[in-house]
Amino acid sequence: MPPDAVTSSGSGLDPHISPEYARLQVHRVAERNGLPVAAVAKLVADRTEGRALGFVGEPRVNVLALNTALRELVAKS
């Protein structure tokens, strides 16, 4: 279980989650929105950001960008 699945940022406003936590939610999000699992997994993969400069920080997924893309995909369906 990724740590961010059971904790939150200090401010509660961090727009990022770990790629592991995002992947844990793919099946649930796909089912809830009537989308193929592969389509939601691709959204997560496409919005996973690497380490800054290749070595600073941890890989992360921008939840705001992911939710916006998900909303657009649902609208097309």
Side-chain angles (χ1 to χ4, degrees), residues 3 8 16 23 29 32-33 36-37 58 62:
S8 62
H16 296 92
R23 286 190 294 266
V29 170
R32 173 102 182 193
N33 291 283
V37 171
E58 295 297 322
N62 184 310

Side-chain angles (χ1 to χ4, degrees), residues 8-69:
S8 62
S9 70
S11 67
L13 300 175
D14 188 0
H16 296 92
I17 60 174
S18 68
E20 295 82 13
Y21 188 32
R23 286 190 294 266
L24 277 176
Q25 299 181 59
V26 166
H27 283 16
R28 180 184 60 80
V29 170
E31 182 179 329
R32 173 102 182 193
N33 291 283
L35 297 169
V37 171
V40 177
K42 182 171 178 4
L43 289 180
V44 170
D46 290 349
R47 279 144 192 89
T48 298
E49 303 167 0
R51 299 171 192 263
L53 302 174
F55 64 92
V56 177
E58 295 297 322
R60 62 212 175 275
V61 177
N62 184 310
V63 176
L64 178 59
L66 182 58
N67 285 341
T68 300

